[in-house]
Amino acid sequence: MAQLSSSVNPVPMLKDELDIVIPTIRNLDFLEMWRPFFEQYHLIIIQDGDPLQTIKVPKGFDYELYNRNDINRILGQKASCISSKDSACRFFGYLVSKKKYIYTIDDDCFVANDPSGNDIIVIEQHIMNLLTPSTPHFFNTLYDPYASGADFVRGYPFSMREGALTVVSHGLWLNMPDYDAPTQLVKPLERNSRYVDAVMTIPKGTLFPMCGMNLAFDRELIGPAMYFGLMGHGQPIGGYDDMWAGWCVKVICDHMGWGVKTGLPYVWHSKASCNRLENLEKEYNGIFWQEEAIPFFQSVALPNECTSVQQCYLELAKQVKEKLGKVDPYFIKLADGMVTWTEAWEELNTPMATQN
């Protein structure tokens, strides 16, 4: 294993304040590569698919493992809002975690190397992103001005240099890019080998396609909006779970005055689901529906009376039902799922529930 890279300024690793959430349908042998980085953290593993299948986790890790039977037992009728046979099921881990921060990763992602050959300490970079402010209201052309060796450029207003709270850190991928199925079909051999040593804040009013395979966020602040929708088994769509959450999250962050960062850190993505035709079938409806959904999120307005993430999310659910429900009845069902998710969040995350 290559030498571990380190930051100029030590970053608190928050081992008692961060959970790692992993959705899976297979044995988690991939954790062996991550052992030096993950072993100090608590893992929440969400088993997708057959609950009778035994998932093997390498020894030495501190973890909880939930399958569909556990989800039904814990949530009862509210379990209807949790996706089945889709990696979207990971958001159940956000629901049961009691930590301030979440890092979520797919089981086909591995440790990547920087251009010097050093292992990228993924969680360290995510924590650095989350613990330093964002600049959503004015773009700094040297990217993240809070990074080591950087600062605000000439002309950046001094009154805005305090920045905003960062609640989402969106990491990227080497090797297999996060392409949709049509792009995979026309570029089957394309790989990403470009390492860009940069982090930037996504500007206010700008949406982005959030990917859940290398993602960290402040669960206490934005967790109630990290609902990955109704996807997979029994639903007419798949592959849009993280993007749906990203659109909702970004609208709410803009309303609350919070920031979202994207860029470093990278993981090595090997992509377990390489059947491009199956991926196209899952994404087919979403490819058309996104042309309606994105303009909706670009124009949605949250009233000033919405002062909490839960209030914002319920208002979004209302508007999704009213406006996107005309596109397809699925969105009515999805809006109902958003409401049920909010109810489940409040039920499991009240002070009394936390103490239990």
Side-chain angles (χ1 to χ4, degrees):
M1 183 173 288
Q3 180 183 356
L4 304 183
S5 62
S6 61
S7 305
V8 175
N9 299 315
V11 176
M13 296 308 289
L14 306 177
K15 66 182 181 66
D16 297 320
E17 299 180 66
L18 183 145
D19 279 335
I20 299 175
V21 174
I22 305 169
T24 192
I25 58 172
R26 57 185 64 85
N27 294 333
L28 293 181
D29 300 329
F30 92 116
L31 284 173
E32 288 295 353
M33 175 177 270
W34 288 103
R35 188 178 290 278
F37 311 95
F38 287 1
E39 200 168 24
Q40 63 181 306
Y41 294 98
H42 179 66
L43 311 182
I44 301 178
I45 301 164
I46 312 300
Q47 179 180 341
D48 193 15
D50 183 2
L52 299 179
Q53 180 184 352
T54 299
I55 296 293
K56 295 181 180 179
V57 181
K59 293 181 179 179
F61 288 94
D62 173 35
Y63 69 92
E64 303 169 66
L65 192 154
Y66 296 92
N67 61 33
R68 191 71 203 187
N69 292 339
D70 299 314
I71 293 171
N72 293 337
R73 172 179 53 81
I74 293 169
L75 293 184
Q77 291 184 343
K78 292 185 176 66
S80 61
C81 75
I82 309 295
S83 297
S84 179
K85 297 185 179 179
D86 192 279
S87 64
C89 67
R90 80 179 76 221
F91 63 77
F92 180 77
Y94 313 158
L95 191 65
V96 296
S97 171
K98 303 303 177 190
K99 302 291 179 61
K100 177 170 175 56
Y101 300 103
I102 293 287
Y103 172 60
T104 185
I105 184 172
D106 283 2
D107 61 10
D108 59 0
C109 293
F110 300 90
V111 179
N113 298 116
D114 66 20
S116 298
N118 296 320
D119 289 341
I120 297 169
I121 308 178
V122 168
I123 293 183
E124 178 181 277
Q125 180 66 53
H126 276 299
I127 291 171
M128 185 185 304
N129 292 346
L130 290 169
L131 294 185
T132 54
S134 292
T135 54
H137 306 292
F138 201 93
F139 189 79
N140 193 63
T141 51
L142 281 179
Y143 304 111
D144 190 349
Y146 303 99
S148 178
D151 210 327
F152 292 93
V153 297
R154 181 171 56 89
Y156 201 103
F158 284 89
S159 60
M160 302 177 73
R161 295 190 181 192
E162 185 177 345
L165 284 172
T166 304
V167 297
V168 177
S169 172
H170 180 258
L172 300 177
W173 340 270
L174 294 172
N175 192 38
M176 299 289 288
D178 186 33
Y179 285 160
D180 54 35
T183 307
Q184 293 172 32
L185 283 167
V186 298
K187 296 183 175 181
L189 302 180
E190 185 160 293
R191 300 293 184 268
N192 178 39
S193 60
R194 186 182 179 201
Y195 178 99
V196 180
D197 188 10
V199 176
M200 68 176 70
T201 298
I202 300 174
K204 181 179 180 180
T206 300
L207 297 174
F208 75 112
M210 189 174 81
C211 174
M213 74 175 78
N214 176 24
L215 179 73
F217 60 91
D218 188 322
R219 178 186 174 277
E220 286 186 357
L221 290 180
I222 200 62
M226 278 289 179
Y227 177 56
F228 278 38
L230 288 169
M231 303 280 157
H233 180 68
Q235 309 301 335
I237 185 174
Y240 276 80
D241 49 325
D242 40 10
M243 285 181 281
W244 178 264
W247 299 331
C248 293
V249 160
K250 189 56 168 62
V251 166
I252 292 174
C253 284
D254 288 350
H255 177 78
M256 300 294 288
W258 297 335
V260 176
K261 291 185 178 183
T262 187
L264 300 178
Y266 285 90
V267 295
W268 182 268
H269 180 214
S270 65
K271 196 167 183 64
S273 57
C274 287
N275 190 318
R276 299 174 182 87
L277 292 177
E278 282 187 5
N279 291 340
L280 179 61
E281 184 178 1
K282 288 194 302 183
E283 297 173 14
Y284 185 81
N285 284 327
I287 291 168
F288 293 97
W289 290 346
Q290 70 182 6
E291 303 304 322
E292 302 282 351
I294 292 173
F296 161 76
F297 282 107
Q298 287 175 326
S299 62
V300 71
L302 298 174
N304 293 333
E305 294 76 35
C306 292
T307 57
S308 71
V309 172
Q310 287 92 328
Q311 289 172 338
C312 291
Y313 202 67
L314 290 173
E315 174 63 26
L316 264 181
K318 176 185 173 183
Q319 295 193 35
V320 166
K321 179 174 285 191
E322 291 175 352
K323 298 178 182 179
L324 291 181
K326 301 173 184 177
V327 175
D328 191 273
Y330 164 75
F331 288 100
I332 297 174
K333 187 177 181 181
L334 176 55
D336 290 339
M338 294 167 70
V339 173
T340 303
W341 157 263
T342 305
E343 293 171 351
W345 184 277
E346 303 229 335
E347 184 176 308
L348 269 64
N349 291 279
T350 60
M352 184 176 295
T354 301
Q355 290 172 7
N356 292 338

